[in-house]
Amino acid sequence: MDHKLFIYNSLSRKKENFIPINSPYVGLYVCGPTVYGEAHLGHARPAITFDVLFRYLKYLGYKVRYVRNITDVGHLENDADSGEDKVVKKARLEQLEPMELVQRYVNSYHENMLKLNILPPSIEPHASGHIIEQQQMIRKILKRGFAYESNGSVYFDVNKYNEKYQYGKLSGRNTEEMMANTRELAGQDEKRNPFDFALWKKADPVHIMHWPSEWSEGFPGWHLECSAMGTKYLGETFDIHGGGMDLLFPHHECEIAQSIAANGVDHVKTWMHNNMITINGQKMGKSLNNFINLSEFFEGNHHLLERAYCPMTIRFFILQAQYRSTVDFSNEALQAAEKGLKRLLSAGELIGKLKTSPASTFNLSEIINETFGALNDDLNTPIAIAQLFEAARIINLINDGKETITKPDLLELGKFFNSVMIDILGLISESNVENKGNLESELMNIIIDLRLQARQKKDFQTSDLIRDRLNNLNVRLNDTKEGTTWEKE
RNA sequence: GGUUCCGUGGCCGAGUGGCUAGGCACCGGUCUGCAAAACCGAUUACAGCGGUUCGAAUCCGCUCGGAACCUCCA
């Protein structure tokens, strides 16, 4: 594979040249949602980040197996290992069968992802569908002596693990410090140490999601699903594991420990973590109750939103920041993104209409090299996008006759622009086509024709009246050389 | 308290030693009956103080301010 893709590895805290374990195959695992509520803007970040990675790896010629899980059991509501299962709680509140609730939010998640033009993963395993695999993993960990049973539950023995391996290598923690800083929590007497975590939890009598096991009627711990499913579909050691930065500890730290304890080998080669989306400088999150659902964005239905935003605007907005930086939400930033995206899309449409010349007056290969150089540098999408804007500027200048392009260059430009915009960044124009062909559009054609007649008679009083009154209805008329177009604001 | 990170022009956001990213807004221009849209062009910056260096937004130190993780979170 002839490229130099560098990816920042959270484990080594360095950018590393990406070399697959078994090229051209690449195994990619990303933590998906816990489906107990509507997807919000925060869910869009990893989905989009790793969608671009998935697309780019495929563009580079790799055969990628992309696994993104659905967490539908075991994710507890409160303090580690003592709260209620999130799905069960929500199901109780909404008086639904837990799997009914899961199905509802999975459907909604898929709908939102589709709108954001996120490719479906190769495999989307559910935690509840892999109870057997999780139980088998628990047995392996018990057999190797890194877990213990306590009152029907099974806990991971962090101290025991730490004698042979290193717990905390991902998040830069050590167990002594953790011990010193751990708050004593009620109801944790089953554990030998406060930072031991559950592999299997005995279900209390009112708990509705539970499975039989030799330890108890119960359910698996949250961290276990990713270890079990990652191993099942991608192998004991695989290439890339992604997720939000907030999952780095404890979730991914525990995942590493479990996998190594069970299999005796390193779990993941490259760990990638996307940063958070902030709102007024603070993390957008369920617990802070400052999150905006994706459907609310698409409909403009939230007190923080001045109006609705298209899914592509949100995708572009997120890609204008590098994935390891925080990105701050604001209406102003979103509207800026909307206009910028529009500019790129119309430049893209212009390419097919450009006239060619015997010579090119600009350096196309420089733009192309800069763009792929940026993508190879830990997916620096903002710089790649800046290069697309440079290309757009040149496309417009060619269209104005102020720059020229040869036929081969034009072909290459078109191929480059579409590859980056559509195939890699996944930015496509929203279909404005839905307005065409209906009554509204036919009526507008009549009004525009009448106004054109008035203008031809130099009856500007009438033509301006038509335009002003349409303006009052938030319908904007644009007179161009090719005729008059209209758009709703 | 521990661990980690950040502070760039009106707003968003790249850049980690020399070559004023980019977008949006503002301003100037082209086009237009006028406007809008579109396009072209120009301007504005590196939290503060000290240090290293021929040269620092970029390295080091201090100060101030902010964030994340350490408990569920994408």
Side-chain angles (χ1 to χ4, degrees), chain A residues 23 41 44 85 100 102 126 168 196 242 263 368 401 437 483:
Chain A
S23 191
L41 188 60
D85 183 292
E100 199 175 358
V102 163
H126 288 232
D196 288 352
N263 302 323
I368 294 175

Side-chain angles (χ1 to χ4, degrees), chain A residues 285-340:
Chain A
K286 287 231 163 85
S287 54
L288 298 162
N289 208 30
N290 63 349
F291 62 92
I292 307 175
N293 287 339
L294 287 169
S295 56
E296 290 168 337
F297 264 100
F298 303 156
E299 286 154 26
N301 182 23
H302 189 279
H303 70 278
L304 288 168
L305 298 173
E306 285 171 9
R307 57 181 178 76
Y309 297 97
C310 293
M312 275 305 121
T313 300
I314 290 161
R315 185 174 178 114
F316 186 67
F317 169 68
I318 286 175
L319 291 176
Q320 270 190 308
Q322 209 267 348
Y323 76 89
R324 285 191 293 118
S325 304
T326 56
V327 53
D328 199 54
F329 157 82
S330 71
N331 281 284
E332 209 181 351
L334 236 8
Q335 283 163 30
E338 184 176 80
K339 288 186 183 174

Side-chain angles (χ1 to χ4, degrees), chain A residues 51-200:
Chain A
D51 183 53
V52 170
L53 178 68
F54 181 39
R55 286 163 177 271
Y56 190 46
L57 289 170
K58 288 203 293 186
Y59 177 85
L60 291 173
Y62 292 115
K63 308 258 182 272
V64 188
R65 181 179 290 166
Y66 177 18
V67 179
R68 189 185 63 203
N69 67 293
I70 296 283
T71 298
D72 57 359
V73 65
H75 199 162
L76 303 180
E77 181 68 32
N78 234 308
D79 293 311
D81 307 328
S82 64
E84 190 175 6
D85 183 292
K86 286 183 169 185
V87 170
V88 171
K89 183 184 175 185
K90 194 69 189 289
R92 185 166 51 73
L93 291 173
E94 299 197 12
Q95 295 193 305
L96 292 170
E97 167 68 28
M99 279 302 133
E100 199 175 358
L101 182 96
V102 163
Q103 191 66 56
R104 175 199 286 180
Y105 290 121
V106 167
N107 290 346
S108 158
Y109 181 74
H110 285 161
E111 233 172 79
N112 286 317
M113 293 303 111
L114 195 67
K115 284 181 181 162
L116 289 167
N117 196 26
I118 285 159
L119 297 174
S122 323
I123 301 174
E124 192 171 53
H126 288 232
S128 65
H130 296 75
I131 301 296
I132 304 284
E133 288 82 352
Q134 296 184 72
Q135 290 179 341
Q136 284 170 339
M137 193 159 224
I138 294 170
R139 283 182 205 112
K140 277 166 95 175
I141 298 170
L142 278 167
K143 200 174 170 192
R144 297 191 69 218
F146 296 114
Y148 55 90
E149 193 184 335
S150 175
N151 192 27
S153 293
V154 180
Y155 293 98
F156 189 87
D157 192 335
V158 171
N159 274 338
K160 193 74 190 296
Y161 173 83
N162 215 31
E163 285 169 15
K164 187 165 179 191
Y165 305 102
Q166 186 196 352
Y167 182 82
K169 68 177 179 178
L170 179 66
S171 57
R173 276 157 233 264
N174 64 57
T175 47
E176 288 82 32
E177 272 172 15
M178 284 173 67
M179 190 61 115
N181 290 308
T182 304
R183 284 180 283 156
E184 286 303 322
L185 294 166
Q188 294 202 337
D189 17 311
E190 287 179 358
K191 296 201 246 178
R192 289 181 192 163
N193 278 300
F195 42 80
D196 288 352
F197 52 92
L199 299 174
W200 188 262

Side-chain angles (χ1 to χ4, degrees), chain A residues 175-398:
Chain A
T175 47
E176 288 82 32
E177 272 172 15
M178 284 173 67
M179 190 61 115
N181 290 308
T182 304
R183 284 180 283 156
E184 286 303 322
L185 294 166
Q188 294 202 337
D189 17 311
E190 287 179 358
K191 296 201 246 178
R192 289 181 192 163
N193 278 300
F195 42 80
D196 288 352
F197 52 92
L199 299 174
W200 188 262
K201 279 290 284 183
K202 181 180 174 182
D204 57 47
V206 293
H207 206 292
I208 27 184
M209 279 205 287
H210 49 77
W211 289 263
S213 78
E214 59 264 50
W215 315 290
S216 65
E217 187 76 17
F219 57 94
W222 172 41
H223 310 302
L224 193 58
E225 54 173 291
C226 292
S227 291
M229 299 191 295
T231 302
K232 172 159 180 164
Y233 297 113
L234 299 173
E236 291 185 351
T237 305
F238 56 89
D239 295 298
I240 304 174
H241 190 309
M245 249 176 209
D246 50 349
L247 297 177
L248 206 133
F249 188 91
H251 186 55
H252 291 157
E253 197 69 74
C254 296
E255 194 182 326
I256 290 173
Q258 287 163 170
S259 299
I260 293 178
N263 302 323
V265 293
D266 265 330
H267 179 45
V268 171
K269 214 173 136 195
T270 306
W271 282 90
M272 291 176 75
H273 291 94
N274 63 274
N275 214 321
M276 303 289 103
I277 289 181
T278 60
I279 186 158
N280 296 323
Q282 208 184 23
K283 189 174 95 173
M284 185 178 283
K286 287 231 163 85
S287 54
L288 298 162
N289 208 30
N290 63 349
F291 62 92
I292 307 175
N293 287 339
L294 287 169
S295 56
E296 290 168 337
F297 264 100
F298 303 156
E299 286 154 26
N301 182 23
H302 189 279
H303 70 278
L304 288 168
L305 298 173
E306 285 171 9
R307 57 181 178 76
Y309 297 97
C310 293
M312 275 305 121
T313 300
I314 290 161
R315 185 174 178 114
F316 186 67
F317 169 68
I318 286 175
L319 291 176
Q320 270 190 308
Q322 209 267 348
Y323 76 89
R324 285 191 293 118
S325 304
T326 56
V327 53
D328 199 54
F329 157 82
S330 71
N331 281 284
E332 209 181 351
L334 236 8
Q335 283 163 30
E338 184 176 80
K339 288 186 183 174
L341 175 61
K342 197 177 167 192
R343 184 175 149 87
L344 286 183
L345 289 170
S346 37
E349 284 169 21
L350 255 185
I351 294 175
K353 299 173 188 161
L354 295 181
K355 296 195 176 75
T356 54
S357 305
S360 291
T361 51
F362 65 98
N363 191 342
L364 178 60
S365 55
E366 191 181 321
I367 293 176
I368 294 175
N369 290 340
E370 291 280 323
T371 304
F372 286 102
L375 290 172
N376 286 336
D377 184 14
D378 196 29
L379 293 183
N380 198 325
T381 51
I383 289 195
I385 287 170
Q387 290 303 319
L388 288 179
F389 276 110
E390 177 64 13
R393 191 178 66 81
I394 286 164
I395 289 164
N396 288 325
L397 283 169
I398 296 168

